[in-house]
Amino acid sequence: MTDPGLRYARQLSLPEIGPEGQARLAGSSVLIVGLGGLGCPAAAYLAAAGVGQLLLNDFDRVDISNLQRQILYRDEDAGRGKAETAAERLTRLNPDIRATAIPSRLDQAGLRAQLADCDVAMDGSDNYGTRFSVNEACLAAGKPLVSGAAIRFEGQLAVFRNDLPEAACYRCLYDEQGDDMETCTGGGILGPVAGVIGALMAVETIKLILGIGQPVAGRLVLYDGLQGHWRQVALRPDPGCPACGEFRSR
């Protein structure tokens, strides 16, 4: 095992982290749903930072067309399960951490069970059904949710403080489930755009674990890679939200 004083030296020198913060990262657990273009870079940065346990949920298999942006995989991984392959690569990246593959579709009960001992959930999935399900499980478990999306040259990022009362949830932003979420298969994507959003998801997750800085809660961060523009949109809780409205009324 590498001397943590060497591996994490550049983090330990940050006054916001230091030895106490590094120990907190080592004792933390994050559930990552979706090991694609967003989940791969996010998971890699969390592993490298020393987040102690990563629960990796994806039931898809590696395809050659994934390799342009899903940076944990190689040509020889085609046909292998993403969760298992990602877990293997992440533990090679940092043997100090535990990466656990969950290669099955999780229902509400399964999500809540996985979230029980987690500090943060991260969602990089590509369909509304999964995103709504993860959001509702986080609400029920009282866990913060870091959510990202990317398509073409554009990306977005938000943090939903489902662990706090009166905070907007993912369903406040997208109030109806539909079949119209555009995917990379149809719309295309520039790989580094997914990397930008995935890296930011890791930053926000680390901030939440350590309780430092100002998470982007209550804001939707939008990135236009083609124009090099960033903008933010305020997010407010929807009193009629079918997800968090139920929990606020309790």
Side-chain angles (χ1 to χ4, degrees):
M1 183 176 293
T2 304
D3 180 354
L6 293 175
R7 181 182 290 276
Y8 308 118
R10 302 301 179 265
Q11 286 180 184
L12 290 168
S13 65
L14 294 170
E16 295 87 351
I17 299 181
E20 182 179 345
Q22 193 62 52
R24 188 176 300 175
L25 289 174
S28 65
S29 178
V30 176
L31 172 65
I32 303 176
V33 180
L35 274 299
L38 301 172
C40 280
Y45 273 116
L46 293 181
V51 172
Q53 177 164 274
L54 300 176
L55 303 176
L56 310 172
N57 178 225
D58 199 313
F59 56 86
D60 198 6
R61 294 187 174 276
V62 179
D63 186 85
I64 292 296
S65 65
N66 300 149
L67 304 183
Q68 163 255 7
R69 64 198 178 280
Q70 298 180 19
I71 59 173
L72 289 178
Y73 312 127
R74 307 289 182 266
D75 284 66
E76 59 268 25
D77 298 324
R80 296 187 65 196
K82 288 185 178 181
E84 299 94 330
T85 307
E88 181 181 298
R89 294 282 150 72
L90 293 170
T91 51
R92 287 181 184 174
L93 175 64
N94 187 353
D96 293 349
I97 64 102
R98 301 179 307 282
T100 303
I102 308 171
S104 58
R105 188 189 298 270
L106 294 176
D107 58 14
Q108 272 294 306
L111 284 167
R112 294 185 190 187
Q114 296 297 335
L115 283 168
D117 296 319
C118 283
D119 297 279
V120 182
M122 180 183 290
D123 187 359
S125 60
D126 62 359
N127 65 88
Y128 285 121
T130 299
R131 287 173 176 263
F132 286 171
S133 187
V134 172
N135 177 65
E136 290 172 14
C138 286
L139 281 167
K143 305 292 183 176
L145 170 62
V146 177
S147 177
I151 190 75
R152 293 184 294 274
F153 297 91
E154 302 170 356
Q156 66 180 45
L157 169 76
V159 172
F160 299 100
R161 294 303 304 265
N162 296 323
D163 55 325
L164 299 177
E166 304 303 324
C169 78
Y170 184 83
R171 195 72 182 269
C172 294
L173 178 61
Y174 296 101
D175 61 353
E176 290 192 15
Q177 182 171 338
D179 298 322
D180 58 346
M181 176 176 279
E182 192 173 12
T183 66
C184 298
T185 301
I189 187 170
L190 182 67
V193 172
V196 168
I197 301 302
L200 289 175
M201 291 171 73
V203 170
E204 293 301 313
T205 298
I206 290 171
K207 285 161 58 180
L208 288 167
I209 291 170
L210 298 179
I212 61 174
Q214 181 63 49
V216 296
R219 293 173 283 162
L220 178 66
V221 178
L222 302 167
Y223 171 59
D224 183 335
L226 197 58
Q227 302 301 323
H229 291 167
W230 294 87
R231 65 189 180 96
Q232 298 185 29
V233 178
L235 295 180
R236 295 182 175 83
D238 176 5
C241 175
C244 65
E246 171 190 349
F247 291 90
R248 281 197 291 268
S249 64
R250 290 180 179 178

